[in-house]
Amino acid sequence: MRLAYVGMFLVSTTAMAQDSAIIPPVPPPSLNVGARGEIKVSPDRATVHIAVETKAENAAAAASENARIQQRVIAAIRGVGVPNDQISTIQYNVFPDYRYERDREPRLVGYRVTNTVVVELRQLDRVGPVLDAALGAGANMITSLQFYASNTETARREAIARAIQTARGDAEAMARAAGGTLGPLMEAHVGAYYAPPPPPPPMARMEAQAAAPMDTPINPGQQTVAVDVQTRWRYLPGR
């Protein structure tokens, strides 16, 4: 019994050695291609940052005047049909105001108070009236106006399909250049997704008295939804 056991062990060891010497199959030749798909979308939402800046000899006086004007501005925005839950304060600053002269120490001349609200608009035809109403009520700074699309999921999927089509075309060109033909798609990975808003305009300071009596024209334009994909295609060598 002891000799039989040893013999079986030797046979098993030899079989394991043979198995370990098996060479794994060589993967089929393939082409790796990356591409981007882009789809234009029309914005249907907007956000506006509206600020009131006041100056006074002391901080309390500047804050009091600012509060009076900002209350009037918010009331004017509500007056053109914007509900209160779409208006929110995002920034409130109080800082000293210095006068700088050459070869002299800075001199405190008063204080500035800035109160900024953001208005979320779900109807683009209200952007112009909101700007006009706010400026007419005393707002003197429009620090940002941005447009965006609220639902980009359909556009994202269309961009994916366009990216795959572009990748296929590039892969076919590569296969022909190499003397072969393109086989089926083996892998595809969706990468980064971009739906950036347009950059905000530079900070604008506008006095209410200088506001034109006509309506402010607004053109939201279009935005680009972009998706990156990585693909791997089977390459069929020529004969």
Side-chain angles (χ1 to χ4, degrees):
M1 293 293 293
R2 184 180 183 120
L3 292 175
Y5 176 80
V6 172
M8 291 178 63
F9 176 78
L10 292 174
V11 171
S12 177
T13 302
T14 303
M16 290 176 62
Q18 291 175 349
D19 290 342
S20 65
I22 296 176
I23 299 175
V26 178
S30 61
L31 300 171
N32 295 322
V33 181
R36 170 174 290 192
E38 296 183 348
I39 298 293
K40 296 290 186 179
V41 295
S42 297
D44 61 349
R45 299 285 191 273
T47 58
V48 189
H49 292 196
I50 301 172
V52 172
E53 182 179 272
T54 53
K55 306 176 186 178
E57 292 184 357
N58 59 72
S64 178
E65 177 68 3
N66 193 288
R68 183 185 67 82
I69 298 175
Q70 189 64 289
Q71 288 177 0
R72 194 169 64 195
V73 169
I74 292 175
I77 295 172
R78 290 174 182 162
V80 294
V82 180
N84 191 55
D85 62 357
Q86 292 175 218
I87 306 171
S88 56
T89 301
I90 60 168
Q91 194 172 47
Y92 188 90
N93 294 322
V94 179
F95 49 91
D97 191 11
Y98 290 95
R99 177 174 297 170
Y100 296 89
E101 298 179 0
R102 187 174 181 180
D103 299 328
R104 300 183 62 178
E105 291 292 326
R107 182 165 60 92
L108 179 65
V109 295
Y111 288 84
R112 295 171 183 257
V113 174
T114 304
N115 187 336
T116 305
V117 297
V118 59
V119 182
E120 299 179 5
L121 298 173
R122 298 167 187 170
Q123 294 174 294
L124 295 187
D125 58 359
R126 290 186 178 176
V127 174
V130 164
L131 294 175
D132 294 336
L135 293 172
N140 51 13
M141 296 178 67
I142 306 296
T143 60
S144 175
L145 170 58
Q146 293 182 317
F147 298 96
Y148 64 96
S150 60
N151 185 0
T152 58
E153 187 59 26
T154 299
R156 186 182 74 88
R157 291 174 180 172
E158 292 177 2
I160 292 174
R162 184 165 295 184
I164 294 293
Q165 292 174 359
T166 300
R168 181 189 295 274
D170 290 347
E172 288 175 345
M174 292 171 64
R176 287 195 302 269
T181 57
L182 186 67
L185 177 65
M186 301 172 67
E187 290 183 44
H189 301 280
V190 178
Y193 161 57
Y194 306 93
M203 180 177 291
R205 184 187 303 268
M206 294 176 278
E207 300 294 338
Q209 293 86 349
M214 63 182 63
D215 294 339
T216 298
I218 296 296
N219 181 18
Q222 287 190 313
Q223 296 175 352
T224 300
V225 174
V227 179
D228 292 335
V229 300
Q230 293 293 329
T231 62
R232 187 163 70 94
W233 305 81
R234 178 73 178 270
Y235 171 66
L236 305 176
R239 296 183 180 180

